[in-house]
Amino acid sequence: MNWQRFQTSASLAFLRTLLFCVNVIFMFTGGILILLGIAIRSHFQDFLDITPDMNSTSPYILIGLGVIILLVGFSAFWCTFKGHVTLLYIYSVIILLVLIAEVVLAGTIFMRKRTYEQTFKTVVRKVMQQYPRRPMKSHIDHLQRGLQCCGIDSYADWFETPYGGTHHQVPQSCCKQLSNHTCMRTDLEKENLLNDIHTNGCYSTVILAIKSNYLVFGGIIMTIALFPLTGIILACCLAHQLSKHRYERVN
C-alpha cells in the first residue's frame, strides 16, 4: 500500500511538473498571438484600412485570443498546485474551447482567402477612382510607398482613373526614391518609365507577401494548437491521479 502511495505521489509530482512546463509554453504562445495581432495591425495597417471588412476582425481576434490564453494560463497555475480536481477538468474544457477557436479561425482565414483577395482588388479600384480625395488618398499613398508598387495589377491602372487618364500620370507615391533628378510621373513613356516609377501592381505584391509567409503562419498555428492538446491530456491525467490519491488516503 505504501509503495502504491509512493507511486501515486511520484506520478502526481511528475504530472504537475509537466503541466507547469506545458502551461508556461502555452502562455508563451498566447503572447505570440498578441504580438502577431499587433504586427499585422501595424505592418499591414494601410492594407487593412483600405479593406474595412477585414479591418475590424483578424488582428483583434488574435489579440483577444492571446489575452484569453494568458488569463487561462494564470488560473491553471493555481489549479495545478492547489490540486482542485473539478477546476482541472474545467480548465481542460476551456483549453478545448480555445483549441477549437484556433482551428476555426485558421480554417476561416484559409477558406476566405479568395474573398479577401477580391475584396482588396475591388476596394482599391474604387479608391483609385476617387483619388486624390481624402481620407483614402493617404491610405493608398502609404500602401504604394510601403510596398513599392503602383496601381492594382500595374501602373497602367491609373490611366483608367479620372486622376491619371488625361495626362497619363501616376501619383507621387508610385515614384522610386531618386536622388539625381525629379521623378517623371506624367506623360509617361517607355524610355523613362522603368527608371522613375514602380511598374508592378500592389495586388501581386500583397499576394506574394502573404504566400511567402504561409509556411511561417502555418507553423505558428500548428505549434500553438499542439500545446493546448497536450495540456488537455495532462490536466485530465492529473485530475485522475489526484482522485486516485485521495481514494488511497481514505483507505
PDB file of all heavy atoms in Angstrom, residues 128 144 149-161 163-165 168-171 174-175 184-185 187-194 197-202 204:
ATOM      1  N   MET A 128      -9.040  54.281 -56.070  1.00  0.00           N
ATOM      2  CA  MET A 128      -8.300  54.927 -57.159  1.00  0.00           C
ATOM      3  C   MET A 128      -9.202  55.843 -57.980  1.00  0.00           C
ATOM      4  O   MET A 128      -8.760  56.896 -58.450  1.00  0.00           O
ATOM      5  CB  MET A 128      -7.666  53.858 -58.055  1.00  0.00           C
ATOM      6  CG  MET A 128      -6.470  53.153 -57.415  1.00  0.00           C
ATOM      7  SD  MET A 128      -5.864  51.754 -58.404  1.00  0.00           S
ATOM      8  CE  MET A 128      -5.379  52.592 -59.915  1.00  0.00           C
ATOM      9  N   GLN A 144       1.220  52.197 -51.523  1.00  0.00           N
ATOM     10  CA  GLN A 144       2.113  52.151 -52.682  1.00  0.00           C
ATOM     11  C   GLN A 144       3.554  52.456 -52.284  1.00  0.00           C
ATOM     12  O   GLN A 144       4.493  51.834 -52.782  1.00  0.00           O
ATOM     13  CB  GLN A 144       1.641  53.144 -53.760  1.00  0.00           C
ATOM     14  CG  GLN A 144       0.316  52.748 -54.391  1.00  0.00           C
ATOM     15  CD  GLN A 144      -0.060  53.613 -55.575  1.00  0.00           C
ATOM     16  OE1 GLN A 144      -0.674  53.145 -56.537  1.00  0.00           O
ATOM     17  NE2 GLN A 144       0.273  54.892 -55.520  1.00  0.00           N
ATOM     18  N   CYS A 149       4.930  49.693 -54.965  1.00  0.00           N
ATOM     19  CA  CYS A 149       4.110  49.215 -56.065  1.00  0.00           C
ATOM     20  C   CYS A 149       3.309  50.384 -56.626  1.00  0.00           C
ATOM     21  O   CYS A 149       3.336  51.494 -56.089  1.00  0.00           O
ATOM     22  CB  CYS A 149       3.170  48.101 -55.592  1.00  0.00           C
ATOM     23  SG  CYS A 149       2.076  48.599 -54.227  1.00  0.00           S
ATOM     24  N   CYS A 150       2.559  50.118 -57.704  1.00  0.00           N
ATOM     25  CA  CYS A 150       1.782  51.183 -58.343  1.00  0.00           C
ATOM     26  C   CYS A 150       0.567  50.587 -59.032  1.00  0.00           C
ATOM     27  O   CYS A 150       0.703  49.702 -59.886  1.00  0.00           O
ATOM     28  CB  CYS A 150       2.663  51.918 -59.356  1.00  0.00           C
ATOM     29  SG  CYS A 150       1.902  53.406 -60.059  1.00  0.00           S
ATOM     30  N   GLY A 151      -0.623  51.042 -58.659  1.00  0.00           N
ATOM     31  CA  GLY A 151      -1.841  50.509 -59.248  1.00  0.00           C
ATOM     32  C   GLY A 151      -2.229  49.164 -58.654  1.00  0.00           C
ATOM     33  O   GLY A 151      -1.675  48.727 -57.645  1.00  0.00           O
ATOM     34  N   ILE A 152      -3.177  48.505 -59.314  1.00  0.00           N
ATOM     35  CA  ILE A 152      -3.638  47.203 -58.831  1.00  0.00           C
ATOM     36  C   ILE A 152      -2.816  46.082 -59.467  1.00  0.00           C
ATOM     37  O   ILE A 152      -2.098  45.354 -58.786  1.00  0.00           O
ATOM     38  CB  ILE A 152      -5.131  47.001 -59.146  1.00  0.00           C
ATOM     39  CG1 ILE A 152      -5.962  48.116 -58.505  1.00  0.00           C
ATOM     40  CG2 ILE A 152      -5.607  45.642 -58.643  1.00  0.00           C
ATOM     41  CD1 ILE A 152      -7.413  48.102 -58.917  1.00  0.00           C
ATOM     42  N   ASP A 153      -2.933  45.948 -60.785  1.00  0.00           N
ATOM     43  CA  ASP A 153      -2.151  44.949 -61.499  1.00  0.00           C
ATOM     44  C   ASP A 153      -0.875  45.546 -62.104  1.00  0.00           C
ATOM     45  O   ASP A 153       0.109  44.837 -62.282  1.00  0.00           O
ATOM     46  CB  ASP A 153      -2.999  44.306 -62.601  1.00  0.00           C
ATOM     47  CG  ASP A 153      -4.180  43.537 -62.034  1.00  0.00           C
ATOM     48  OD1 ASP A 153      -3.975  42.740 -61.094  1.00  0.00           O
ATOM     49  OD2 ASP A 153      -5.306  43.744 -62.504  1.00  0.00           O
ATOM     50  N   SER A 154      -0.904  46.829 -62.419  1.00  0.00           N
ATOM     51  CA  SER A 154       0.279  47.520 -62.929  1.00  0.00           C
ATOM     52  C   SER A 154       0.034  49.027 -62.836  1.00  0.00           C
ATOM     53  O   SER A 154      -1.067  49.473 -62.502  1.00  0.00           O
ATOM     54  CB  SER A 154       0.575  47.117 -64.384  1.00  0.00           C
ATOM     55  OG  SER A 154      -0.357  47.724 -65.262  1.00  0.00           O
ATOM     56  N   TYR A 155       1.062  49.807 -63.172  1.00  0.00           N
ATOM     57  CA  TYR A 155       0.954  51.275 -63.154  1.00  0.00           C
ATOM     58  C   TYR A 155      -0.119  51.776 -64.105  1.00  0.00           C
ATOM     59  O   TYR A 155      -0.726  52.834 -63.890  1.00  0.00           O
ATOM     60  CB  TYR A 155       2.309  51.880 -63.555  1.00  0.00           C
ATOM     61  CG  TYR A 155       2.656  51.641 -65.004  1.00  0.00           C
ATOM     62  CD1 TYR A 155       2.371  52.595 -65.973  1.00  0.00           C
ATOM     63  CD2 TYR A 155       3.226  50.444 -65.417  1.00  0.00           C
ATOM     64  CE1 TYR A 155       2.666  52.369 -67.308  1.00  0.00           C
ATOM     65  CE2 TYR A 155       3.523  50.199 -66.731  1.00  0.00           C
ATOM     66  CZ  TYR A 155       3.237  51.163 -67.689  1.00  0.00           C
ATOM     67  OH  TYR A 155       3.526  50.932 -69.009  1.00  0.00           O
ATOM     68  N   ALA A 156      -0.398  51.015 -65.196  1.00  0.00           N
ATOM     69  CA  ALA A 156      -1.344  51.448 -66.216  1.00  0.00           C
ATOM     70  C   ALA A 156      -2.770  51.544 -65.688  1.00  0.00           C
ATOM     71  O   ALA A 156      -3.619  52.184 -66.330  1.00  0.00           O
ATOM     72  CB  ALA A 156      -1.280  50.509 -67.411  1.00  0.00           C
ATOM     73  N   ASP A 157      -3.055  50.950 -64.542  1.00  0.00           N
ATOM     74  CA  ASP A 157      -4.399  51.054 -63.959  1.00  0.00           C
ATOM     75  C   ASP A 157      -4.753  52.501 -63.658  1.00  0.00           C
ATOM     76  O   ASP A 157      -5.936  52.875 -63.665  1.00  0.00           O
ATOM     77  CB  ASP A 157      -4.482  50.220 -62.672  1.00  0.00           C
ATOM     78  CG  ASP A 157      -4.367  48.732 -62.943  1.00  0.00           C
ATOM     79  OD1 ASP A 157      -4.816  48.292 -64.017  1.00  0.00           O
ATOM     80  OD2 ASP A 157      -3.819  48.015 -62.088  1.00  0.00           O
ATOM     81  N   TRP A 158      -3.754  53.329 -63.364  1.00  0.00           N
ATOM     82  CA  TRP A 158      -4.019  54.746 -63.066  1.00  0.00           C
ATOM     83  C   TRP A 158      -4.505  55.500 -64.301  1.00  0.00           C
ATOM     84  O   TRP A 158      -5.184  56.527 -64.172  1.00  0.00           O
ATOM     85  CB  TRP A 158      -2.764  55.414 -62.510  1.00  0.00           C
ATOM     86  CG  TRP A 158      -2.524  55.082 -61.068  1.00  0.00           C
ATOM     87  CD1 TRP A 158      -1.600  54.229 -60.550  1.00  0.00           C
ATOM     88  CD2 TRP A 158      -3.246  55.600 -59.948  1.00  0.00           C
ATOM     89  NE1 TRP A 158      -1.698  54.169 -59.181  1.00  0.00           N
ATOM     90  CE2 TRP A 158      -2.697  55.009 -58.778  1.00  0.00           C
ATOM     91  CE3 TRP A 158      -4.306  56.499 -59.810  1.00  0.00           C
ATOM     92  CZ2 TRP A 158      -3.168  55.291 -57.500  1.00  0.00           C
ATOM     93  CZ3 TRP A 158      -4.783  56.781 -58.530  1.00  0.00           C
ATOM     94  CH2 TRP A 158      -4.221  56.184 -57.401  1.00  0.00           C
ATOM     95  N   PHE A 159      -4.181  55.002 -65.499  1.00  0.00           N
ATOM     96  CA  PHE A 159      -4.616  55.683 -66.719  1.00  0.00           C
ATOM     97  C   PHE A 159      -6.118  55.548 -66.947  1.00  0.00           C
ATOM     98  O   PHE A 159      -6.685  56.257 -67.782  1.00  0.00           O
ATOM     99  CB  PHE A 159      -3.869  55.124 -67.941  1.00  0.00           C
ATOM    100  CG  PHE A 159      -2.370  55.235 -67.830  1.00  0.00           C
ATOM    101  CD1 PHE A 159      -1.545  54.435 -68.608  1.00  0.00           C
ATOM    102  CD2 PHE A 159      -1.791  56.145 -66.959  1.00  0.00           C
ATOM    103  CE1 PHE A 159      -0.162  54.536 -68.511  1.00  0.00           C
ATOM    104  CE2 PHE A 159      -0.405  56.254 -66.852  1.00  0.00           C
ATOM    105  CZ  PHE A 159       0.407  55.447 -67.632  1.00  0.00           C
ATOM    106  N   GLU A 160      -6.756  54.624 -66.213  1.00  0.00           N
ATOM    107  CA  GLU A 160      -8.201  54.402 -66.329  1.00  0.00           C
ATOM    108  C   GLU A 160      -8.976  55.148 -65.250  1.00  0.00           C
ATOM    109  O   GLU A 160     -10.168  54.920 -65.058  1.00  0.00           O
ATOM    110  CB  GLU A 160      -8.504  52.904 -66.241  1.00  0.00           C
ATOM    111  CG  GLU A 160      -7.814  52.080 -67.325  1.00  0.00           C
ATOM    112  CD  GLU A 160      -8.006  50.588 -67.128  1.00  0.00           C
ATOM    113  OE1 GLU A 160      -8.756  50.222 -66.183  1.00  0.00           O
ATOM    114  OE2 GLU A 160      -7.426  49.802 -67.900  1.00  0.00           O
ATOM    115  N   THR A 161      -8.310  56.040 -64.533  1.00  0.00           N
ATOM    116  CA  THR A 161      -8.947  56.825 -63.476  1.00  0.00           C
ATOM    117  C   THR A 161      -9.034  58.287 -63.884  1.00  0.00           C
ATOM    118  O   THR A 161      -8.275  58.743 -64.753  1.00  0.00           O
ATOM    119  CB  THR A 161      -8.139  56.724 -62.166  1.00  0.00           C
ATOM    120  OG1 THR A 161      -6.863  57.357 -62.339  1.00  0.00           O
ATOM    121  CG2 THR A 161      -7.927  55.272 -61.773  1.00  0.00           C
ATOM    122  N   TYR A 163      -7.986  60.744 -62.278  1.00  0.00           N
ATOM    123  CA  TYR A 163      -6.732  61.406 -61.913  1.00  0.00           C
ATOM    124  C   TYR A 163      -5.649  61.220 -62.979  1.00  0.00           C
ATOM    125  O   TYR A 163      -4.942  62.172 -63.336  1.00  0.00           O
ATOM    126  CB  TYR A 163      -6.225  60.867 -60.573  1.00  0.00           C
ATOM    127  CG  TYR A 163      -4.856  61.373 -60.188  1.00  0.00           C
ATOM    128  CD1 TYR A 163      -4.685  62.628 -59.618  1.00  0.00           C
ATOM    129  CD2 TYR A 163      -3.714  60.586 -60.406  1.00  0.00           C
ATOM    130  CE1 TYR A 163      -3.426  63.093 -59.267  1.00  0.00           C
ATOM    131  CE2 TYR A 163      -2.457  61.038 -60.060  1.00  0.00           C
ATOM    132  CZ  TYR A 163      -2.311  62.299 -59.495  1.00  0.00           C
ATOM    133  OH  TYR A 163      -1.064  62.766 -59.170  1.00  0.00           O
ATOM    134  N   GLY A 164      -5.509  59.993 -63.465  1.00  0.00           N
ATOM    135  CA  GLY A 164      -4.393  59.713 -64.369  1.00  0.00           C
ATOM    136  C   GLY A 164      -4.746  59.566 -65.829  1.00  0.00           C
ATOM    137  O   GLY A 164      -3.862  59.447 -66.675  1.00  0.00           O
ATOM    138  N   GLY A 165      -6.044  59.592 -66.165  1.00  0.00           N
ATOM    139  CA  GLY A 165      -6.457  59.337 -67.538  1.00  0.00           C
ATOM    140  C   GLY A 165      -6.079  60.424 -68.527  1.00  0.00           C
ATOM    141  O   GLY A 165      -5.676  60.126 -69.658  1.00  0.00           O
ATOM    142  N   HIS A 168      -1.936  60.763 -68.518  1.00  0.00           N
ATOM    143  CA  HIS A 168      -1.184  59.517 -68.341  1.00  0.00           C
ATOM    144  C   HIS A 168      -0.179  59.657 -67.198  1.00  0.00           C
ATOM    145  O   HIS A 168       1.024  59.451 -67.372  1.00  0.00           O
ATOM    146  CB  HIS A 168      -0.476  59.126 -69.641  1.00  0.00           C
ATOM    147  CG  HIS A 168      -1.373  58.430 -70.603  1.00  0.00           C
ATOM    148  ND1 HIS A 168      -2.408  59.072 -71.241  1.00  0.00           N
ATOM    149  CD2 HIS A 168      -1.397  57.127 -71.039  1.00  0.00           C
ATOM    150  CE1 HIS A 168      -3.039  58.223 -72.045  1.00  0.00           C
ATOM    151  NE2 HIS A 168      -2.456  57.031 -71.923  1.00  0.00           N
ATOM    152  N   GLN A 169      -0.701  59.983 -66.019  1.00  0.00           N
ATOM    153  CA  GLN A 169       0.155  60.201 -64.866  1.00  0.00           C
ATOM    154  C   GLN A 169      -0.197  59.248 -63.733  1.00  0.00           C
ATOM    155  O   GLN A 169      -1.275  58.652 -63.726  1.00  0.00           O
ATOM    156  CB  GLN A 169       0.025  61.645 -64.374  1.00  0.00           C
ATOM    157  CG  GLN A 169      -1.372  61.993 -63.845  1.00  0.00           C
ATOM    158  CD  GLN A 169      -1.454  63.412 -63.324  1.00  0.00           C
ATOM    159  OE1 GLN A 169      -0.445  64.098 -63.218  1.00  0.00           O
ATOM    160  NE2 GLN A 169      -2.658  63.852 -62.993  1.00  0.00           N
ATOM    161  N   VAL A 170       0.740  59.133 -62.817  1.00  0.00           N
ATOM    162  CA  VAL A 170       0.542  58.319 -61.615  1.00  0.00           C
ATOM    163  C   VAL A 170       0.870  59.191 -60.403  1.00  0.00           C
ATOM    164  O   VAL A 170       1.564  60.205 -60.538  1.00  0.00           O
ATOM    165  CB  VAL A 170       1.442  57.063 -61.624  1.00  0.00           C
ATOM    166  CG1 VAL A 170       1.068  56.138 -62.772  1.00  0.00           C
ATOM    167  CG2 VAL A 170       2.910  57.441 -61.679  1.00  0.00           C
ATOM    168  N   PRO A 171       0.392  58.810 -59.210  1.00  0.00           N
ATOM    169  CA  PRO A 171       0.695  59.613 -58.014  1.00  0.00           C
ATOM    170  C   PRO A 171       2.183  59.608 -57.673  1.00  0.00           C
ATOM    171  O   PRO A 171       2.945  58.744 -58.116  1.00  0.00           O
ATOM    172  CB  PRO A 171      -0.117  58.920 -56.906  1.00  0.00           C
ATOM    173  CG  PRO A 171      -1.169  58.154 -57.616  1.00  0.00           C
ATOM    174  CD  PRO A 171      -0.564  57.726 -58.912  1.00  0.00           C
ATOM    175  N   CYS A 174       4.022  56.485 -56.400  1.00  0.00           N
ATOM    176  CA  CYS A 174       4.493  55.429 -57.299  1.00  0.00           C
ATOM    177  C   CYS A 174       5.970  55.602 -57.642  1.00  0.00           C
ATOM    178  O   CYS A 174       6.583  54.691 -58.208  1.00  0.00           O
ATOM    179  CB  CYS A 174       3.688  55.438 -58.601  1.00  0.00           C
ATOM    180  SG  CYS A 174       2.004  54.796 -58.441  1.00  0.00           S
ATOM    181  N   CYS A 175       6.530  56.755 -57.317  1.00  0.00           N
ATOM    182  CA  CYS A 175       7.904  57.051 -57.711  1.00  0.00           C
ATOM    183  C   CYS A 175       8.909  56.275 -56.876  1.00  0.00           C
ATOM    184  O   CYS A 175       8.704  56.051 -55.686  1.00  0.00           O
ATOM    185  CB  CYS A 175       8.182  58.548 -57.571  1.00  0.00           C
ATOM    186  SG  CYS A 175       7.287  59.566 -58.765  1.00  0.00           S
ATOM    187  N   MET A 184       9.774  61.477 -63.038  1.00  0.00           N
ATOM    188  CA  MET A 184       8.914  61.711 -64.200  1.00  0.00           C
ATOM    189  C   MET A 184       7.689  60.803 -64.076  1.00  0.00           C
ATOM    190  O   MET A 184       7.776  59.607 -64.292  1.00  0.00           O
ATOM    191  CB  MET A 184       9.688  61.399 -65.485  1.00  0.00           C
ATOM    192  CG  MET A 184      10.917  62.274 -65.694  1.00  0.00           C
ATOM    193  SD  MET A 184      10.505  64.000 -66.029  1.00  0.00           S
ATOM    194  CE  MET A 184       9.680  63.841 -67.606  1.00  0.00           C
ATOM    195  N   ARG A 185       6.561  61.391 -63.718  1.00  0.00           N
ATOM    196  CA  ARG A 185       5.358  60.582 -63.494  1.00  0.00           C
ATOM    197  C   ARG A 185       4.169  61.049 -64.324  1.00  0.00           C
ATOM    198  O   ARG A 185       3.062  60.554 -64.153  1.00  0.00           O
ATOM    199  CB  ARG A 185       5.003  60.601 -62.007  1.00  0.00           C
ATOM    200  CG  ARG A 185       4.708  61.972 -61.431  1.00  0.00           C
ATOM    201  CD  ARG A 185       4.498  61.908 -59.922  1.00  0.00           C
ATOM    202  NE  ARG A 185       4.138  63.194 -59.368  1.00  0.00           N
ATOM    203  CZ  ARG A 185       2.889  63.657 -59.268  1.00  0.00           C
ATOM    204  NH1 ARG A 185       1.881  62.906 -59.688  1.00  0.00           N
ATOM    205  NH2 ARG A 185       2.650  64.837 -58.744  1.00  0.00           N
ATOM    206  N   ASP A 187       2.777  62.074 -68.450  1.00  0.00           N
ATOM    207  CA  ASP A 187       3.075  61.790 -69.867  1.00  0.00           C
ATOM    208  C   ASP A 187       4.123  60.681 -69.972  1.00  0.00           C
ATOM    209  O   ASP A 187       5.158  60.828 -70.622  1.00  0.00           O
ATOM    210  CB  ASP A 187       3.571  63.057 -70.585  1.00  0.00           C
ATOM    211  CG  ASP A 187       2.497  64.146 -70.613  1.00  0.00           C
ATOM    212  OD1 ASP A 187       1.308  63.797 -70.770  1.00  0.00           O
ATOM    213  OD2 ASP A 187       2.849  65.326 -70.449  1.00  0.00           O
ATOM    214  N   LEU A 188       3.825  59.585 -69.320  1.00  0.00           N
ATOM    215  CA  LEU A 188       4.810  58.507 -69.190  1.00  0.00           C
ATOM    216  C   LEU A 188       5.124  57.861 -70.535  1.00  0.00           C
ATOM    217  O   LEU A 188       4.228  57.599 -71.344  1.00  0.00           O
ATOM    218  CB  LEU A 188       4.294  57.450 -68.217  1.00  0.00           C
ATOM    219  CG  LEU A 188       4.176  57.924 -66.766  1.00  0.00           C
ATOM    220  CD1 LEU A 188       3.487  56.860 -65.928  1.00  0.00           C
ATOM    221  CD2 LEU A 188       5.540  58.247 -66.182  1.00  0.00           C
ATOM    222  N   GLU A 189       6.384  57.605 -70.747  1.00  0.00           N
ATOM    223  CA  GLU A 189       6.859  56.939 -71.952  1.00  0.00           C
ATOM    224  C   GLU A 189       7.771  55.785 -71.552  1.00  0.00           C
ATOM    225  O   GLU A 189       8.303  55.736 -70.436  1.00  0.00           O
ATOM    226  CB  GLU A 189       7.625  57.923 -72.840  1.00  0.00           C
ATOM    227  CG  GLU A 189       6.766  59.096 -73.327  1.00  0.00           C
ATOM    228  CD  GLU A 189       7.577  60.098 -74.129  1.00  0.00           C
ATOM    229  OE1 GLU A 189       8.797  59.883 -74.247  1.00  0.00           O
ATOM    230  OE2 GLU A 189       6.995  61.064 -74.617  1.00  0.00           O
ATOM    231  N   LYS A 190       7.952  54.903 -72.472  1.00  0.00           N
ATOM    232  CA  LYS A 190       8.715  53.686 -72.174  1.00  0.00           C
ATOM    233  C   LYS A 190      10.151  53.987 -71.751  1.00  0.00           C
ATOM    234  O   LYS A 190      10.708  53.321 -70.907  1.00  0.00           O
ATOM    235  CB  LYS A 190       8.725  52.766 -73.396  1.00  0.00           C
ATOM    236  CG  LYS A 190       7.368  52.208 -73.771  1.00  0.00           C
ATOM    237  CD  LYS A 190       6.863  51.230 -72.722  1.00  0.00           C
ATOM    238  CE  LYS A 190       5.526  50.624 -73.133  1.00  0.00           C
ATOM    239  NZ  LYS A 190       4.993  49.728 -72.109  1.00  0.00           N
ATOM    240  N   GLU A 191      10.780  55.015 -72.335  1.00  0.00           N
ATOM    241  CA  GLU A 191      12.191  55.221 -72.055  1.00  0.00           C
ATOM    242  C   GLU A 191      12.487  55.690 -70.638  1.00  0.00           C
ATOM    243  O   GLU A 191      13.551  55.432 -70.099  1.00  0.00           O
ATOM    244  CB  GLU A 191      12.806  56.223 -73.061  1.00  0.00           C
ATOM    245  CG  GLU A 191      12.004  57.509 -73.211  1.00  0.00           C
ATOM    246  CD  GLU A 191      11.054  57.436 -74.373  1.00  0.00           C
ATOM    247  OE1 GLU A 191      10.665  56.310 -74.736  1.00  0.00           O
ATOM    248  OE2 GLU A 191      10.699  58.493 -74.923  1.00  0.00           O
ATOM    249  N   ASN A 192      11.543  56.415 -69.997  1.00  0.00           N
ATOM    250  CA  ASN A 192      11.821  56.847 -68.624  1.00  0.00           C
ATOM    251  C   ASN A 192      10.989  56.101 -67.595  1.00  0.00           C
ATOM    252  O   ASN A 192      11.132  56.322 -66.409  1.00  0.00           O
ATOM    253  CB  ASN A 192      11.598  58.361 -68.459  1.00  0.00           C
ATOM    254  CG  ASN A 192      10.161  58.776 -68.790  1.00  0.00           C
ATOM    255  OD1 ASN A 192       9.228  58.039 -68.514  1.00  0.00           O
ATOM    256  ND2 ASN A 192      10.006  59.951 -69.390  1.00  0.00           N
ATOM    257  N   LEU A 193      10.135  55.228 -68.076  1.00  0.00           N
ATOM    258  CA  LEU A 193       9.200  54.543 -67.186  1.00  0.00           C
ATOM    259  C   LEU A 193       9.899  53.676 -66.149  1.00  0.00           C
ATOM    260  O   LEU A 193       9.649  53.791 -64.962  1.00  0.00           O
ATOM    261  CB  LEU A 193       8.235  53.700 -68.021  1.00  0.00           C
ATOM    262  CG  LEU A 193       7.148  52.945 -67.266  1.00  0.00           C
ATOM    263  CD1 LEU A 193       6.265  53.912 -66.512  1.00  0.00           C
ATOM    264  CD2 LEU A 193       6.322  52.112 -68.212  1.00  0.00           C
ATOM    265  N   LEU A 194      10.783  52.815 -66.585  1.00  0.00           N
ATOM    266  CA  LEU A 194      11.419  51.864 -65.680  1.00  0.00           C
ATOM    267  C   LEU A 194      12.386  52.537 -64.717  1.00  0.00           C
ATOM    268  O   LEU A 194      12.702  51.984 -63.668  1.00  0.00           O
ATOM    269  CB  LEU A 194      12.164  50.793 -66.480  1.00  0.00           C
ATOM    270  CG  LEU A 194      11.292  49.880 -67.353  1.00  0.00           C
ATOM    271  CD1 LEU A 194      12.150  48.899 -68.123  1.00  0.00           C
ATOM    272  CD2 LEU A 194      10.276  49.133 -66.505  1.00  0.00           C
ATOM    273  N   ILE A 197       9.462  55.134 -61.918  1.00  0.00           N
ATOM    274  CA  ILE A 197       8.330  54.667 -61.118  1.00  0.00           C
ATOM    275  C   ILE A 197       8.354  53.144 -60.971  1.00  0.00           C
ATOM    276  O   ILE A 197       9.011  52.434 -61.748  1.00  0.00           O
ATOM    277  CB  ILE A 197       6.972  55.103 -61.724  1.00  0.00           C
ATOM    278  CG1 ILE A 197       6.706  54.334 -63.023  1.00  0.00           C
ATOM    279  CG2 ILE A 197       6.912  56.594 -61.930  1.00  0.00           C
ATOM    280  CD1 ILE A 197       5.282  54.454 -63.506  1.00  0.00           C
ATOM    281  N   HIS A 198       7.614  52.661 -59.960  1.00  0.00           N
ATOM    282  CA  HIS A 198       7.423  51.222 -59.789  1.00  0.00           C
ATOM    283  C   HIS A 198       6.345  50.762 -60.766  1.00  0.00           C
ATOM    284  O   HIS A 198       5.249  51.343 -60.811  1.00  0.00           O
ATOM    285  CB  HIS A 198       7.000  50.905 -58.360  1.00  0.00           C
ATOM    286  CG  HIS A 198       8.004  51.324 -57.328  1.00  0.00           C
ATOM    287  ND1 HIS A 198       9.204  50.674 -57.151  1.00  0.00           N
ATOM    288  CD2 HIS A 198       7.984  52.341 -56.419  1.00  0.00           C
ATOM    289  CE1 HIS A 198       9.887  51.255 -56.178  1.00  0.00           C
ATOM    290  NE2 HIS A 198       9.178  52.267 -55.716  1.00  0.00           N
ATOM    291  N   THR A 199       6.636  49.749 -61.540  1.00  0.00           N
ATOM    292  CA  THR A 199       5.683  49.288 -62.548  1.00  0.00           C
ATOM    293  C   THR A 199       4.826  48.123 -62.077  1.00  0.00           C
ATOM    294  O   THR A 199       3.782  47.848 -62.660  1.00  0.00           O
ATOM    295  CB  THR A 199       6.443  48.855 -63.817  1.00  0.00           C
ATOM    296  OG1 THR A 199       7.372  47.825 -63.469  1.00  0.00           O
ATOM    297  CG2 THR A 199       7.200  50.040 -64.409  1.00  0.00           C
ATOM    298  N   ASN A 200       5.244  47.422 -61.028  1.00  0.00           N
ATOM    299  CA  ASN A 200       4.475  46.267 -60.539  1.00  0.00           C
ATOM    300  C   ASN A 200       3.243  46.715 -59.763  1.00  0.00           C
ATOM    301  O   ASN A 200       3.255  47.745 -59.079  1.00  0.00           O
ATOM    302  CB  ASN A 200       5.341  45.382 -59.652  1.00  0.00           C
ATOM    303  CG  ASN A 200       5.937  46.147 -58.484  1.00  0.00           C
ATOM    304  OD1 ASN A 200       6.697  47.093 -58.680  1.00  0.00           O
ATOM    305  ND2 ASN A 200       5.592  45.755 -57.268  1.00  0.00           N
ATOM    306  N   GLY A 201       2.160  45.942 -59.876  1.00  0.00           N
ATOM    307  CA  GLY A 201       0.923  46.278 -59.175  1.00  0.00           C
ATOM    308  C   GLY A 201       0.959  45.881 -57.712  1.00  0.00           C
ATOM    309  O   GLY A 201       1.719  44.989 -57.314  1.00  0.00           O
ATOM    310  N   CYS A 202       0.125  46.529 -56.913  1.00  0.00           N
ATOM    311  CA  CYS A 202       0.090  46.259 -55.471  1.00  0.00           C
ATOM    312  C   CYS A 202      -0.565  44.913 -55.163  1.00  0.00           C
ATOM    313  O   CYS A 202      -0.235  44.278 -54.156  1.00  0.00           O
ATOM    314  CB  CYS A 202      -0.660  47.378 -54.751  1.00  0.00           C
ATOM    315  SG  CYS A 202       0.185  48.973 -54.815  1.00  0.00           S
ATOM    316  N   SER A 204      -0.394  41.933 -56.789  1.00  0.00           N
ATOM    317  CA  SER A 204       0.565  40.829 -56.852  1.00  0.00           C
ATOM    318  C   SER A 204       1.590  40.924 -55.734  1.00  0.00           C
ATOM    319  O   SER A 204       2.036  39.894 -55.203  1.00  0.00           O
ATOM    320  CB  SER A 204       1.270  40.829 -58.214  1.00  0.00           C
ATOM    321  OG  SER A 204       1.958  42.057 -58.421  1.00  0.00           O
TER     322      SER A 204
END
